């Protein structure tokens, strides 16, 4: 059977981080239309309660459904850790997360077995990375660290080497990993790949796993298995919605994507 589905794929995160998934999905599935939602009025998600994360996830998926999406990528480790499995029960469309795909990539990437994870409070305390990575690679020793100051820095566009505060915060957070104990670090929050250049400089030789990007292959596999791939021949289009101010999102997100998002980010209504 060669069925297809030209409806868009929905992607959500608390903010800019989900663009790391969007970028990878655009590269891997260039014919798909995408609808992105960043919940910037309620960012950060990293310290939210389970009840809040369930409610926000459900609301975000309903918003994306109002745009007629055929599948949703939860491009947020925090929501994935706390809410995805639960909200999947309420929706009759595939809802893909970021944690399992990136845990698997990390397990496959490590040669020494030393794997670090950085993530939000919710993600790290969920223990999911500590559980999943050794399932895929029994030799893996996982050290997970909460790095809560990073999301606000990324949201305010402080992702450059000239941003002294960001460099100092990263130096502090990454100190436990600077002794050669790990060869692989999971960027267990979709915001962190926006800091990959700085992190890479502080941890030379360490393989960085981009949790946002890891979901792209899982999405492709799912759409293929379910006969949901688009069959258009031209490039797909992306639409962007946020719950907060569209301007900083357009500025910082456009810089990360390498495209001009001015006037292309709409406020959620
Ligand atoms: N980017 C999200 C994640 O992957 C959420 C971070 C936050 O809002 O605290 O966890």
């Amino acid at each position: 059977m060669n069925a297809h589905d030209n409806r868009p794929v929905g992607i959500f995160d608390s903010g800019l981080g989900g663009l790391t998934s969007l970028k990878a999905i655009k590269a891997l599935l260039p014919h798909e239309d995408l609808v992105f939602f960043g919940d910037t009025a309620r960012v950060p998600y990293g310290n939210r309660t389970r009840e809040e994360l369930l409610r926000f996830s459900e609301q975000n998926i309903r918003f994306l459904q109002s745009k007629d999406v055929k599948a949703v990528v939860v491009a947020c480790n925090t929501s994935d850790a706390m809410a995805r499995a639960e909200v999947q029960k309420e929706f009759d469309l595939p809802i893909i997360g970021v944690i399992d795909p990136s845990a698997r990539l990390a397990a496959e990437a490590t040669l020494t077995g030393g794997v670090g994870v950085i993530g939000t409070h919710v993600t790290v305390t969920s223990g999911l990375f500590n559980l999943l990575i050794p399932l895929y690679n029994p030799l893996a020793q996982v050290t997970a660290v909460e790095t809560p100051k990073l999301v606000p820095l990324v949201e305010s566009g402080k992702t450059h080497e000239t941003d002294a505060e960001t460099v100092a915060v990263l130096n502090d957070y990454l100190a436990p990993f600077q002794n050669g104990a790990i060869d692989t670090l999971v960027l267990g929050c979709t915001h962190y790949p926006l800091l990959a250049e700085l992190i890479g400089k502080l941890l030379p030789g360490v393989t960085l796993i981009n949790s946002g990007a890891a979901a792209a292959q899982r999405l492709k596999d799912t759409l293929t298995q379910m006969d949901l791939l688009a069959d258009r021949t031209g490039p797909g289009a992306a639409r962007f919605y946020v719950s907060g101010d569209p301007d900083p999102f357009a500025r910082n997100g456009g810089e990360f994507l390498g495209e001009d998002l001015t006037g292309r980010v709409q406020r959620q209504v």
Side-chain angles (χ1 to χ4, degrees):
M1 186 161 95
N2 270 330
H4 61 264
D5 190 330
N6 283 337
R7 290 177 299 159
V9 172
I11 302 165
F12 82 82
D13 179 37
S14 59
L16 285 165
L19 294 179
T20 59
S21 282
L22 179 128
K23 193 175 188 172
I25 292 167
K26 272 180 81 165
L28 193 65
L29 295 165
H31 306 298
E32 298 293 335
D33 280 351
L34 306 175
V35 180
F36 182 90
F37 175 61
D39 195 5
T40 53
R42 301 190 289 200
V43 69
Y45 277 11
N47 282 304
R48 297 283 187 175
T49 63
R50 178 176 151 79
E51 185 279 327
E52 285 175 313
L53 291 166
L54 282 167
R55 183 158 44 89
F56 295 173
S57 298
E58 192 187 322
Q59 289 168 344
N60 298 345
I61 296 168
R62 291 215 188 282
F63 173 70
L64 291 169
Q65 261 194 327
S66 76
K67 307 294 173 197
D68 199 26
V69 298
K70 61 186 170 187
V72 170
V73 176
V74 179
C76 172
N77 289 262
T78 307
S79 305
D80 187 5
M82 204 48 95
R84 186 183 56 86
E86 195 61 32
V87 292
Q88 173 70 81
K89 296 178 195 158
E90 291 166 46
F91 292 93
D92 187 22
L93 81 177
I95 300 175
I96 289 136
V98 287
I99 291 183
D100 187 70
S102 48
R104 188 170 190 151
L105 281 183
E108 289 166 359
T110 182
L111 298 174
T112 64
V115 179
V117 176
I118 53 174
T120 67
H121 171 72
V122 165
T123 299
V124 169
T125 54
S126 78
L128 271 175
F129 280 110
N130 303 65
L131 179 81
L132 290 170
I133 296 170
L135 283 184
Y136 290 119
N137 179 348
L139 298 178
Q141 304 267 357
V142 181
T143 309
V145 173
E146 294 178 25
T147 51
K149 291 181 188 159
L150 298 182
V151 168
L153 289 168
V154 170
E155 284 294 324
S156 55
K158 294 183 184 160
T159 57
H160 310 96
E161 211 164 0
T162 45
D163 295 311
E165 185 189 355
T166 308
V167 174
V169 165
L170 280 173
N171 249 311
D172 194 32
Y173 281 148
L174 298 177
F177 300 126
Q178 281 173 321
N179 55 3
I182 62 162
D183 70 350
T184 303
L185 179 72
V186 180
L187 308 182
C189 169
T190 54
H191 280 72
Y192 302 168
L194 281 89
L195 298 166
E197 219 176 296
L198 295 181
I199 295 171
K201 281 191 180 149
L202 294 172
L203 295 174
V206 171
T207 303
L208 303 182
I209 304 294
N210 178 332
S211 68
Q217 186 61 48
R218 185 67 56 91
L219 172 69
K220 184 176 181 182
D221 295 344
T222 305
L223 296 182
T224 305
Q225 279 157 18
M226 297 180 74
D227 278 329
L228 290 175
L229 285 167
D231 74 343
R232 69 175 65 78
T233 48
R239 278 178 288 156
F240 299 89
Y241 296 89
V242 289
S243 52
D245 183 354
D247 291 340
F249 185 91
R251 196 169 50 249
N252 297 326
E255 180 186 327
F256 171 70
L257 291 179
E259 41 180 304
D260 189 1
L261 295 186
T262 314
R264 289 181 54 200
V265 181
Q266 299 175 55
R267 199 185 278 267
Q268 175 196 30
V269 280

